[in-house]
Amino acid sequence: MSGQDKKNIRWLFALRRYITFFLLMAFIISCCMILFLNMMTRSANLELTQEHIERAAKVTFLNVILLSFLCTIVDEIRRKFMVGRPVGQIIKAAEQMMTGDFSVRIPPLHGIANADGFGVIADYFNQMAQELSGTETLRTDFIANVSHELKTPLAVIQNYGTMLQQQDLPENKRLEYAKAITDASRRLANLITNILKLNKLENQQIYPKAETYDLGEQLCECLLTFERAWEDKALDIETDVEAEVMVNSDEELLSLVWNNLFSNAIKFTPPRGKISLTLKAEGEFAVVQVSDTGCGISPEVGKHMFEKFYQGDTSHATQGNGLGLALVKRVIDIVGGDISVSSEVGKGSIFTVKLRREPYGTP
């Protein structure tokens, strides 16, 4: 729409408002004048001539025109400050947001500009812009992290695949390169699997199927699946699992939590270290603790450890993809539990998970 078209539309709206005020004023003033003249003629026994009536009608008509004009001007000024200015600010901010600028904010509206509720609209607009800005940042970071995590194993597969094509390659090198390709492909498959799981969890496409079961049995079964891994590192496994601690939750989802916590504990604990698993019934909660004597976590890393793709070990020597603890946190939120971590660099970490017992009150 051109500037001239907008100008014509404004004039049409102004003319419509003037006609509206004119009709309203004509009706009100005419009624008041008729009532006034009737009262005067009855109380003072005055007789109005045709000339008097015509003169009064002309004066009244001129007053209606003048008052309608003044009301239109006053309404235009009111609209400019109370409607036009805040609406213009909102439209300008919306146009900037449409171009992808989510940092735009509407300045606070005070005084008469806030009288028609535009201040409330501006506040909600700013909150929406803030949420969209955060979502856009997460989306950008997610794409960047996914691209990086995909490129690393793909580069390994490509490089070792090229080296495997050498005709005079020794057998030991061939096995070494083939193992590297297998490990990289496994890491790539795990990454894609975790991305799909996390996507389903965040979009609530996975609904928990609650059932009552013995939490201690599940913990022991999950821990035993890592027996080969802890034996290879000669780790000392210590368990203190209270019997018959029942919970009503989704067993399959919670297995993701325990598997990730056990996997991380084994991964970050040096050879001949110790991993401890405890399960206690404390009031209405079942409290699970998984501790290790590994490298520990700094306070800065601890602030971000449940974020997607965040890794305290930037060297990727541990072959992780930064999604395990994000999955854990999302599952715990879905089942209505709580997870916390206490850690000290060089001494290890303790992950604590609290779940409601079922039925509460059983010994």
Side-chain angles (χ1 to χ4, degrees):
M1 185 180 294
S2 65
Q4 184 63 35
D5 292 336
K6 292 181 179 179
K7 187 175 181 180
N8 292 336
I9 291 175
R10 284 199 297 269
W11 278 109
L12 287 174
F13 277 113
L15 179 61
R16 188 179 69 177
R17 288 196 296 272
Y18 176 79
I19 294 174
T20 301
F21 281 121
F22 178 83
L23 295 175
L24 182 62
M25 291 291 179
F27 176 76
I28 293 175
I29 293 176
S30 297
C31 291
C32 291
M33 286 299 298
I34 292 173
L35 181 62
F36 175 76
L37 292 176
N38 285 335
M39 293 294 295
M40 288 293 295
T41 54
R42 290 179 182 178
S43 60
N45 292 323
L46 296 176
E47 184 176 350
L48 298 177
T49 63
Q50 183 72 22
E51 181 182 356
H52 292 154
I53 295 175
E54 289 179 356
R55 186 182 301 170
K58 292 178 181 178
V59 173
T60 301
F61 182 74
L62 291 176
N63 285 333
V64 169
I65 293 176
L66 178 61
L67 290 174
S68 300
F69 181 72
L70 290 176
C71 287
T72 303
I73 293 177
V74 171
D75 183 63
E76 185 66 26
I77 295 174
R78 180 194 69 85
R79 282 176 169 272
K80 181 178 180 180
F81 287 98
M82 297 183 65
V83 179
R85 181 175 294 178
V87 168
Q89 290 177 320
I90 294 173
I91 291 175
K92 183 179 178 181
E95 288 175 346
Q96 288 182 253
M97 189 175 291
M98 290 169 60
T99 62
D101 181 10
F102 296 106
S103 64
V104 63
R105 298 292 185 272
I106 301 174
L109 302 176
H110 304 290
I112 59 175
N114 195 29
D116 288 339
F118 286 107
V120 176
I121 296 175
D123 290 339
Y124 278 103
F125 184 95
N126 290 337
Q127 292 179 27
M128 178 187 67
Q130 185 174 355
E131 291 295 329
L132 288 174
S133 177
T135 302
E136 179 64 15
T137 301
L138 287 175
R139 185 187 69 85
T140 304
D141 291 345
F142 182 82
I143 292 174
N145 287 322
V146 167
S147 300
H148 176 77
E149 293 292 340
L150 289 175
K151 280 169 31 178
T152 302
L154 286 175
V156 171
I157 294 172
Q158 183 178 11
N159 291 335
Y160 281 104
T162 302
M163 289 189 289
L164 275 175
Q165 296 176 17
Q166 301 175 22
Q167 295 182 355
D168 56 347
L169 188 68
E171 182 66 15
N172 62 330
K173 289 294 184 181
R174 186 184 64 81
L175 293 176
E176 178 185 344
Y177 297 163
K179 184 178 182 301
I181 292 175
T182 302
D183 291 342
S185 62
R186 186 180 295 113
R187 179 184 174 192
L188 188 60
N190 289 336
L191 171 64
I192 295 173
T193 299
N194 284 337
I195 289 175
L196 293 175
K197 286 180 182 178
L198 189 58
N199 181 64
K200 289 182 179 180
L201 288 171
E202 291 189 336
N203 291 291
Q204 295 188 352
Q205 295 176 0
I206 295 178
Y207 300 96
K209 299 177 181 178
E211 57 181 351
T212 301
Y213 68 94
D214 191 323
L215 182 59
E217 290 184 4
Q218 182 190 34
L219 288 168
C220 292
E221 290 174 0
C222 289
L223 183 59
L224 285 172
T225 60
F226 294 92
E227 184 175 6
R228 176 70 179 274
W230 84 57
E231 287 181 347
D232 289 343
K233 299 182 73 172
L235 300 179
D236 180 20
I237 305 298
E238 184 179 277
T239 60
D240 182 11
V241 178
E242 189 172 321
E244 297 184 0
V245 177
M246 311 299 291
V247 294
N248 185 262
S249 190
D250 191 310
E251 186 173 2
E252 183 178 353
L253 281 180
L254 282 178
S255 67
L256 291 174
V257 174
W258 316 133
N259 288 335
N260 273 285
L261 293 182
F262 294 149
S263 175
N264 285 342
I266 294 172
K267 182 190 304 180
F268 293 108
T269 302
R272 303 188 181 282
K274 185 173 76 171
I275 294 175
S276 299
L277 166 66
T278 63
L279 169 62
K280 301 289 185 182
E282 297 181 1
E284 61 181 310
F285 294 102
V287 181
V288 179
Q289 285 191 333
V290 179
S291 60
D292 61 66
T293 58
C295 57
I297 303 168
S298 66
E300 181 62 29
V301 173
K303 295 178 182 179
H304 306 281
M305 63 187 309
F306 293 112
E307 297 177 5
K308 289 179 291 188
F309 290 106
Y310 186 83
Q311 292 179 311
D313 177 16
T314 55
S315 68
H316 296 275
T318 54
Q319 299 300 305
N321 52 52
L323 288 177
L325 289 178
L327 277 170
V328 167
K329 183 65 168 67
R330 186 59 183 143
V331 169
I332 293 298
D333 290 342
I334 287 176
V335 301
D338 179 72
I339 184 170
S340 60
V341 60
S342 61
S343 183
E344 187 175 348
V345 176
K347 292 188 177 181
S349 307
I350 302 175
F351 285 84
T352 303
V353 177
K354 289 186 177 181
L355 301 169
R356 287 193 177 275
R357 293 169 59 198
E358 178 67 30
Y360 171 53
T362 57

